[in-house]
Each structure stands twice: as C-alpha cells, then as structure tokens.
C-alpha cells in the first residue's frame, strides 16, 4: 500500500511538472522533477522527463542571452546563437522543445527588424526604403511598427528634400512626381499633401510669370520693330552754306536710334529761298553705309548758281533694317 501511494504521488508530480513545463515554467518543472527523481531514482520515465526539462531550460536560458544580444544591437551574435538553438529544437522534436518555438520565432523577427533599422540609416533612396517596408509588412511586433514609422519619416524627408531641390530648378513636374512617389508608400501623409499643393501653386505662379514675361517681350519686340521701321534715324543737324562764288553746300548729320543695324540711309530735302519757295529738291546718301545703334552718319551735296539766301529742310528719310 505504501509503495502504491508513492507511485501515485510520483505520477501526480510528473504530470504536474509536465503541465508546468508546457506552460513555460521550466524551472518549476525542473525543481519538481528533480525532487521526485531523488525519491524514485529507478523511475526511468521520470528521469527522461527531467532530462528533457533540463535541456529545454538550457535552451531557454540561451534564448534569454539572445534577447540581451538583440537589446545591445549585437545582431550577428544573436543570429548565430538563435540558429544553433533553432537547430537543436528541430532535432529534439518533442512537445516540450516545441514550446520554445514562439519565443525563437519572436526573436528571429526582432533580429530582422534590428537589421532593417540598421540598414535604414544608410539608405537614401525611396525605392530601397520601400523594399524595407515590404519586408516589414508581415511583422506585427511593436518594434516593426516603430521601424515602419522610421522608414515613413525618412521617405517623407527624402521626398521633401528632393522635391524642394527640383522646385529651385523650376522643375515642377519632377517635384510633383517625387511627392507622388512618396505618397505611394506614405499614403495620405499631410506634409507631402501640403507640399504637393505648394508645388502646384509655385508652378502656376511661375507659368503665369513666364506668360507675362513672354507677353512683355513680345510687346517690347513690337515696340522695337515699330521704332526700327518708323523712327530709327533722327536728323541731328542740316544746314546750307554759300561760298564766295555763290555755290551752295548742303551738309548734315543723322543719328541711329534703332535697336538693330540700319543701312542705305537716304535723306530727302528741299532748298528754299527767303520767301519759302522751293528752289530745289534733292537726295543724299549717308555715310558710312551701315549704322549700328547709337552711331552717327553724315551727308553733303553741292548746288551751283542758286540766287539769294537759301535754307534747307529735310522732308523724308529712308533706311533698311538689317
């Protein structure tokens, strides 16, 4: 009867220890089984359970070391240790070692997230950052959410910087495309939405200014063309002088007020007596033949046998615009 009670107690302890181990209470299970094994060293099933619990306890402690490696960002060491533990769990293939799988998978996820966090610092390209977002898409840990937020912030920063640089170069369509690329991954981001509005406003203002500049340039060109056609040459001086023999010399000077080179300038004039009657009409070519803007040219012509005092008056000027 005494032996029967011991066996029943041992079986009860074994069952309770097994339940504790399956709940992850490995130290409690190890303590219970260790005490029971001392009382019943011949109970082989008890010894097997104790060996299994101790093996899992060691692996769990090793996983706790991996946790510390991850916290310290010693990710390479963490991955090496975790791979060895996962291999051991796979080799043992029992219910008890399987209880470590969620913890191991959780650590594997954290290592992946840690590696991505380290990589984010080096990335300056939106597409590369988007790949990291994709890698995080199936991960639900709070660390994954933080990493996603960090990537989103960097995408917004890169998009903003690149778009503003394009705006400075007046490349507004390029700036809008950059913002749209960012919005593909950081959907409905208020900062990027406002930036896109600002780009469009600056584009509209710039295009309006461009239209005004073109209009002004066209108006100015039209004014210059009118000036070149109608008011390119101005008479600066014209006079008639009579020498001791009664010969009259008509001399004068013109100035170019055109915006282009003019050529073949010809002056038409009338010579009048003191009663203002026209005695002669004449034409004279200006020399030099070509006048640049601001240049001056001269002309002269001689007349003989004109009676009395005379005056001269320009009636027309003709020229060609080059």
């Amino acid at each position: 009867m005494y032996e029967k009670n011991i066996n029943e107690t041992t079986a009860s302890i074994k069952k309770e220890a097994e339940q504790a181990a399956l709940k992850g209470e490995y130290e409690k299970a190890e303590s219970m089984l260790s005490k029971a094994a001392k009382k019943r060293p011949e109970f082989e099933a008890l010894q097997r359970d104790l060996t299994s619990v101790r093996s899992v306890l060691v692996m769990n402690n090793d996983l706790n070391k991996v946790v510390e490696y991850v916290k310290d960002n010693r990710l390479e060491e963490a991955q090496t240790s975790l791979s060895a533990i996962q291999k051991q769990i796979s080799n043992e293939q029992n219910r008890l070692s399987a209880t470590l799988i969620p913890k191991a998978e959780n650590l594997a996820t954290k290592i992946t997230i840690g590696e991505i966090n380290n990589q984010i610092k080096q990335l300056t390209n939106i597409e590369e950052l988007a790949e990291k977002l994709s890698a995080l898409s199936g991960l639900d840990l709070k660390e994954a959410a933080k990493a996603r937020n960090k990537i989103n912030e960097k995408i917004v920063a890169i998009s903003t910087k690149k778009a503003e640089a394009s705006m400075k170069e007046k490349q507004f369509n390029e700036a809008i495309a950059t913002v749209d690329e960012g919005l593909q991954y950081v959907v409905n981001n208020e900062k990027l939405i406002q930036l896109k509005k600002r780009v469009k406003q600056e584009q509209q203002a710039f295009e309006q200014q461009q239209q005004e500049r073109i209009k002004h340039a066209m108006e100015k060109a039209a004014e210059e063309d009118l000036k070149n056609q109608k008011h390119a040459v101005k008479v600066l001086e014209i006079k008639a002088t009579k020498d001791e023999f009664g010969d009259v010399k008509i001399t004068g000077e013109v100035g170019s007020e055109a915006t282009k080179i003019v050529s073949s300038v010809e002056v038409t004039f009338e010579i009048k007596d003191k009663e203002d009657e026209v005695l002669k009409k004449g034409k004279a070519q200006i020399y030099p033949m070509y006048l640049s803007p601001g240049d001056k040219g001269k002309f002269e012509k001689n007349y003989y046998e004109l009676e009395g005092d005379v005056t001269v008056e320009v009636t027309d000027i003709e020229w060609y615009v080059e």
Side-chain angles (χ1 to χ4, degrees):
M1 186 71 179
Y2 173 73
E3 185 68 22
K4 181 181 178 182
N5 289 337
I6 292 177
N7 287 340
E8 288 178 353
T9 301
T10 302
S12 176
I13 292 172
K14 180 179 181 299
K15 185 176 181 180
E16 186 180 348
E18 182 178 342
Q19 291 174 345
L22 291 174
K23 291 178 183 178
E25 298 172 353
Y26 308 119
E27 292 182 354
K28 178 180 177 181
E30 193 274 340
S31 176
M32 294 173 66
L33 291 170
S34 180
K35 290 177 182 178
K38 286 180 181 179
K39 292 179 181 179
R40 296 299 304 270
E42 76 285 356
F43 198 166
E44 291 183 3
L46 202 62
Q47 292 293 340
R48 285 196 299 272
D49 285 357
L50 180 59
T51 299
S52 294
V53 168
R54 284 176 173 170
S55 175
V56 170
L57 185 58
V58 170
M59 286 190 286
N60 187 59
N61 289 335
D62 289 341
L63 286 174
N64 288 336
K65 291 179 183 177
V66 174
V67 172
E68 295 303 315
Y69 289 152
V70 172
K71 286 181 180 178
D72 295 338
N73 202 33
R74 296 159 61 186
L75 301 181
E76 190 172 341
E77 294 174 74
Q79 185 59 64
T80 300
S81 298
L82 181 61
S83 295
I85 297 166
Q86 287 175 317
K87 184 177 181 181
Q88 187 177 352
I89 292 171
S90 178
N91 289 339
E92 294 201 5
Q93 291 185 342
N94 57 54
R95 273 203 314 163
L96 191 55
S97 63
T99 61
L100 294 173
I101 291 175
K103 186 174 183 178
E105 289 178 343
N106 180 278
L107 283 169
T109 299
K110 287 185 176 182
I111 290 171
T112 298
I113 294 169
E115 290 172 341
I116 290 174
N117 273 324
N118 290 340
Q119 292 164 358
I120 290 171
K121 301 171 186 175
Q122 311 300 324
L123 300 180
T124 57
N125 182 286
I126 292 177
E127 290 182 358
E128 293 173 339
L129 289 165
E131 289 177 5
K132 301 306 174 185
L133 273 180
S134 179
L136 290 167
S137 61
L139 307 180
D140 295 327
L141 296 180
K142 64 179 181 179
E143 290 88 350
K146 289 180 180 178
R148 279 192 288 269
N149 288 338
K150 189 183 294 184
I151 292 173
N152 288 343
E153 288 173 2
K154 193 155 190 178
I155 287 175
V156 171
I158 291 173
S159 299
T160 301
K161 184 177 180 180
K162 188 176 176 183
E164 288 181 344
S166 295
M167 279 195 291
K168 286 183 179 179
E169 299 296 323
K170 308 303 180 187
Q171 300 296 322
F172 298 104
N173 290 334
E174 185 178 310
I176 291 172
T178 298
V179 175
D180 284 340
E181 183 183 12
L183 284 170
Q184 286 181 12
Y185 306 107
V186 193
V187 180
N188 295 328
N189 180 267
E190 188 61 26
K191 185 175 180 179
L192 290 183
I193 290 172
Q194 292 302 319
L195 177 59
K196 186 174 180 178
K197 288 181 180 178
R198 183 159 67 87
V199 174
K200 288 185 174 181
Q201 288 171 351
E202 291 196 18
Q203 182 180 30
Q204 185 178 8
F206 176 76
E207 289 174 351
Q208 186 173 347
Q209 289 172 0
Q210 284 287 81
Q211 291 174 356
E212 290 174 357
R213 280 193 287 267
I214 291 170
K215 181 181 178 182
H216 178 70
M218 291 176 66
E219 289 174 349
K220 186 176 181 181
E223 290 174 3
E224 289 182 356
D225 185 59
L226 179 63
K227 182 176 182 179
N228 291 337
Q229 295 299 329
K230 300 293 184 181
H231 309 289
V233 180
K234 179 180 181 181
V235 177
L236 301 176
E237 180 185 39
I238 185 169
K239 60 183 180 179
T241 57
K242 185 178 277 192
D243 64 16
E244 56 191 71
F245 303 106
D247 300 330
V248 175
K249 179 185 286 189
I250 307 300
T251 60
E253 185 177 47
V254 300
S256 171
E257 296 186 341
T259 60
K260 296 181 179 180
I261 295 174
V262 294
S263 65
S264 303
V265 181
E266 185 178 68
V267 176
T268 300
F269 54 86
E270 292 178 343
I271 302 173
K272 299 179 179 180
D273 60 18
K274 58 184 178 180
E275 278 76 34
D276 208 29
E277 293 290 331
V278 177
L279 302 176
K280 289 279 186 181
K281 293 182 178 180
K283 295 179 183 252
Q285 290 289 327
I286 301 298
Y287 62 90
M289 182 176 180
Y290 294 94
L291 297 179
S292 297
D295 282 357
K296 295 177 181 180
K298 295 182 179 182
F299 63 92
E300 66 175 50
K301 197 160 189 180
N302 294 313
Y303 289 89
Y304 307 99
E305 300 177 355
L306 290 177
E307 299 292 335
D309 295 330
V310 295
T311 58
V312 63
E313 180 181 323
V314 173
T315 58
D316 191 24
I317 306 178
E318 294 182 354
W319 62 83
Y320 291 102
V321 180
E322 296 294 323

